[in-house]
Amino acid sequence: MDADAGSELRARGQELLERSIGPDAEFRPQQWEAIERLVDRKQRLLIVERTGWGKSTVYFTATKLLRERGAGPTLIISPLLSLMRNQIQDAEKQLGLAAWTINSNNSDDWNEAKTAVVDGKCDLLLISPERLANSEFQKEVLLEMDEQFGLLVVDEAHCISDWGHDFRPDYRRIRRILQEFPDHIPVAATTATANDRVVEDITSQVPDLHAIRGELVRDSLRIQTIETDSRAERLAWLAENLGVFDYSGIVYCLTTAEVEAVAGWLGMFGHDVEPYHGGMDGDRREELEERLMANEVDALVATNALGMGFNKPDLGWVVHYQRPPNLIRYYQEIGRAGRGLDQSYAVLLSGAEDDDIAEYFIEQAFPAPEDFHAILSVLEESDEQLYKYELLKEVNVTWGAASTCLSILRVENAIFEGENGFERTAKEWSYDYERIESVTQHRWDELERVQEFVATDGCLTRFIDDELDGSLEADCGQCANCAGDFVPRTVEREDLIDIAVQHYQQNSWDEISARYYEPKQEGGRSKIPEELKHEDGRVLSSYGGPGWGSLVEHGRGADQYDDELVAAAVSHIRDWEPSPTPQWVTAVPTRANSHQIVDLAQRIAEGLDIPYVDSLGQTGEIEPQEELANSYQKRWNVEGAIEVTGSVRTEPVLLVDDLVDSRWTLTEATMALRDAGSGPVFPFVLAEVVMSV
């Protein structure tokens, strides 16, 4: 490119930047370099820059310049729908680019989007990595376009690497596509969370990918870590200190249950906050994002479902209610704050109990070898394609583990997903012990590093920069360890901690709804007759959680549950007031020390001043339900295994157990009672076994 053409391109780029951001806008260091290398040199770039640096500015501007030169549309592969929404809005508003998306939530628009791409009316097409596995998309879009894409963007490119903090199996498909992509189509792979190891891994997998790296830690961000004794103490800290921050912010939690508990607590103290997590439908999440963007709420209390791609320049602070499992994820989440502010704040609350959650996710990250082999064996023996639910009827594998197995096996071409489910391919496959053990050990090392981060008295910003293999040579001078605390470390009002414990105790209960269908071992399912279903019941707590859940965990397997726990159960049942009121109590007899459950039921009956009746017994062998992985296996484990062995009264009954997860034990016990002529059955359970994010 000659000097005049280069000057003309730079001038046009500046016009587009000012149109996007404002009349005084200037390209940040390395932004124009990236744009020029994509547009004129058609290079493949791995752009590693901090959150808020403007990676989308690079590929939006490059897209506009390429389209003005007659190039085809840009294909953006992105892992989150919330990111897609923000990018579509930015592209259309700032540069007049026609943007389309094809995802699981907009199937009504698919045909129109495909037509727009093929007919040249689309400037940007945004898809999830999972869409690349769809045979219809491959045939109608990828093959139809062939070499006509103008630019390929892979957002959150760290997901390609096993060593990335958020590795996703479907990103391996991107690697293969990049290896086969025509040389004349430029590529922009972008991420804010790649250290040297991840960069080396990505560039070794993708040919001719050149890295552009900038400073990763934001100067405006002040960081402080606070160690606490309990989650109740953290709630008390939030009540006392959240109001000191200017602007709106985000409180991050590790689980959905904690999101709801923290949001409810903060609302009691006058904070205008809303819960946000992946269990909500897309419209509700979009509404909450818009409310936070417009400063109509003080904060969102969120899981990491509110993460990559959320861009609010004036977000003033991020508080972590629980410690993330690694520093890279922590860095990414605090990177939501201070993009357009001179000063912003990040506070990390943590405690030893956070390790339990982190360890759970590390241990569950990769299914066991026998899970893979069980699924492959069933598919090999089947003459037909099988859906996931059909597989789960045959194998003792959890729903989540089965999803991961199928995803990995599909990406590695060991199985094929057709119109009627999955089938085995001819490709040989073996479990990669060395890789999985290495990655798992890396996760344990990352957990150790974030534990060290919380405990260090050195510069917190530099600690993170070192983890990212950044270039800081001196302490930041503004984090709490350098400049002193900017928020208190302790709770002033000790009574708030007691109130927080009560909050957990009063709000950790949930309803137990009846199952409507049961699977048949010979195939299909049948509707459970209304007269054999239990009524809506109650579960007092989340197993092992703050409040009553910790007492259940400590007491399980002992001779008796604690008197305080039984009193809480009786109090909750009285407040619940099931109707019609139970007139007697019985117990579920399905575990080895069922005498503990009987004792619990007897004491609850005594507290309610109604009789206990020993009605149910176990027939044959029942494996512990917690040792079975999925709902189908749990159902058939107890099917026909509970019978009436004593008297049954015709009045409404309270059915007592200590733990519940799949509800099949309660369902089977209810069927036995109702068949024997009992009145309505109301289940009551001490704790629910759940881990939802």
Side-chain angles (χ1 to χ4, degrees), residues 449-461:
R449 287 289 288 163
V450 78
Q451 291 167 339
E452 293 171 356
F453 172 73
V454 169
T456 186
D457 57 4
C459 175
L460 296 170
T461 305

Side-chain angles (χ1 to χ4, degrees), residues 49-51 192 214-223 331 334-335 459-472 476 478:
E49 299 283 356
R50 67 173 179 262
T51 54
E215 295 294 340
L216 296 180
V217 180
R218 183 173 294 113
D219 295 337
S220 65
L221 196 58
R222 298 190 62 191
I223 305 171
Y331 158 75
I334 64 175
C459 175
L460 296 170
T461 305
R462 194 170 179 182
F463 197 107
I464 295 173
D465 191 70
D466 288 344
E467 188 73 4
L468 292 164
D469 295 315
S471 57
L472 280 184
C476 73
Q478 64 179 23

Side-chain angles (χ1 to χ4, degrees), residues 56-102:
S56 62
T57 295
V58 168
Y59 52 74
F60 284 167
T61 305
T63 295
K64 188 70 172 179
L65 293 170
L66 286 165
R67 291 292 277 166
E68 290 176 348
R69 291 185 171 190
T74 290
L75 177 64
I76 301 179
I77 303 171
S78 174
L80 288 183
L81 296 182
S82 61
L83 175 60
M84 290 182 177
R85 288 196 295 269
N86 288 338
Q87 288 189 330
I88 288 174
Q89 292 167 0
D90 290 346
E92 294 176 338
K93 178 180 177 181
Q94 296 172 0
L95 294 174
L97 294 170
W100 292 82
T101 179
I102 296 177

Side-chain angles (χ1 to χ4, degrees), residues 426-544:
K427 182 179 179 181
E428 292 187 8
W429 186 89
S430 61
Y431 187 86
D432 192 341
Y433 286 91
E434 183 177 353
R435 180 181 69 86
I436 290 174
E437 288 177 4
S438 181
V439 172
T440 300
Q441 183 57 51
H442 178 63
R443 298 286 186 263
W444 287 111
D445 293 342
E446 287 180 325
L447 176 57
E448 185 175 338
R449 287 289 288 163
V450 78
Q451 291 167 339
E452 293 171 356
F453 172 73
V454 169
T456 186
D457 57 4
C459 175
L460 296 170
T461 305
R462 194 170 179 182
F463 197 107
I464 295 173
D465 191 70
D466 288 344
E467 188 73 4
L468 292 164
D469 295 315
S471 57
L472 280 184
E473 297 180 353
D475 293 349
C476 73
Q478 64 179 23
C479 72
N481 286 4
C482 288
D485 296 342
F486 51 85
V487 288
R489 290 183 173 273
T490 58
V491 174
E492 184 175 331
R493 285 180 51 192
E494 289 289 333
D495 65 303
L496 276 180
I497 299 176
D498 296 331
I499 297 171
V501 171
Q502 294 171 16
H503 173 74
Y504 269 120
Q505 292 173 346
Q506 294 167 0
N507 292 278
S508 59
W509 67 270
D510 203 354
E511 289 189 350
I512 304 173
S513 59
R515 285 193 168 273
Y516 281 79
Y517 297 93
E518 62 175 331
K520 297 298 183 182
Q521 296 196 50
E522 63 274 14
R525 65 177 186 174
S526 64
K527 190 172 183 180
I528 299 173
E530 287 294 322
E531 64 272 14
L532 296 183
K533 289 161 53 177
H534 62 69
E535 309 300 311
D536 287 342
R538 290 289 182 91
V539 57
L540 184 65
S541 65
S542 177
Y543 186 69

Side-chain angles (χ1 to χ4, degrees), residues 44 46 157-164 167-181 197-209 411-412 435 439:
R44 296 180 167 198
L46 174 60
H158 59 271
C159 298
I160 292 175
S161 173
D162 287 339
W163 310 106
F167 167 70
R168 303 188 182 197
D170 275 284
Y171 263 74
R172 288 190 181 179
R173 198 176 302 277
I174 299 173
R175 177 187 63 188
R176 288 204 294 272
I177 287 174
L178 287 171
Q179 289 171 340
E180 299 169 1
F181 224 56
R197 186 173 196 172
V198 173
V199 168
E200 182 180 354
D201 189 30
I202 295 172
T203 53
S204 68
Q205 294 184 56
V206 181
D208 301 319
L209 194 63
V411 169
E412 297 181 357
R435 180 181 69 86
V439 172

Side-chain angles (χ1 to χ4, degrees), residues 124-355:
L124 290 163
L125 177 64
L126 296 95
I127 64 168
S128 68
E130 291 75 18
R131 185 61 41 191
L132 297 172
N134 183 278
S135 56
E136 181 181 347
F137 179 80
Q138 292 174 359
K139 179 180 178 181
E140 297 184 10
V141 179
L142 290 185
L143 293 179
E144 184 73 24
M145 292 299 294
D146 195 14
E147 299 186 4
Q148 296 181 46
F149 282 108
L151 172 66
L152 174 65
V153 175
V154 180
D155 213 15
E156 308 302 338
H158 59 271
C159 298
I160 292 175
S161 173
D162 287 339
W163 310 106
H165 74 96
D166 193 25
F167 167 70
R168 303 188 182 197
D170 275 284
Y171 263 74
R172 288 190 181 179
R173 198 176 302 277
I174 299 173
R175 177 187 63 188
R176 288 204 294 272
I177 287 174
L178 287 171
Q179 289 171 340
E180 299 169 1
F181 224 56
D183 292 338
H184 69 273
I185 298 178
V187 174
T190 67
T191 180
T193 52
N195 56 18
D196 286 347
R197 186 173 196 172
V198 173
V199 168
E200 182 180 354
D201 189 30
I202 295 172
T203 53
S204 68
Q205 294 184 56
V206 181
D208 301 319
L209 194 63
H210 306 284
I212 293 179
R213 301 187 67 177
E215 295 294 340
L216 296 180
V217 180
R218 183 173 294 113
D219 295 337
S220 65
L221 196 58
R222 298 190 62 191
I223 305 171
Q224 182 172 339
T225 64
I226 300 173
E227 295 187 77
T228 61
D229 291 332
S230 67
R231 278 177 274 184
E233 184 179 346
R234 298 181 216 189
L235 286 185
W237 187 94
L238 288 175
E240 285 190 343
N241 294 287
L242 210 61
V244 306
F245 297 115
D246 294 328
Y247 304 97
S248 53
I250 300 172
V251 179
Y252 275 116
C253 302
L254 292 180
T255 68
T256 296
E258 292 295 352
V259 163
E260 297 288 352
V262 172
W265 168 262
L266 290 173
M268 291 167 50
F269 289 86
H271 296 284
D272 185 4
V273 302
E274 293 283 355
Y276 180 109
H277 52 74
M280 297 174 168
D281 65 52
D283 289 343
R284 176 58 175 162
R285 288 166 64 179
E286 185 174 358
E287 175 193 346
L288 291 171
E289 291 166 21
E290 289 173 354
R291 291 190 65 193
L292 181 59
M293 291 291 290
N295 295 314
E296 293 175 357
V297 292
D298 297 333
L300 294 183
V301 183
T303 63
N304 68 337
L306 181 67
M308 294 184 289
F310 183 76
N311 184 14
K312 177 175 168 58
D314 63 340
L315 193 81
W317 52 270
V318 170
V319 171
H320 278 81
Y321 180 72
Q322 292 158 302
R323 186 190 65 226
N326 59 70
L327 271 174
I328 307 299
R329 173 170 158 183
Y330 175 67
Y331 158 75
Q332 185 181 65
E333 290 172 356
I334 64 175
R336 308 270 74 79
R339 296 183 175 191
L341 300 173
D342 292 334
Q343 197 161 74
S344 57
Y345 301 91
V347 179
L348 172 59
L349 306 176
S350 68
E353 56 197 0
D354 296 340
D355 289 337

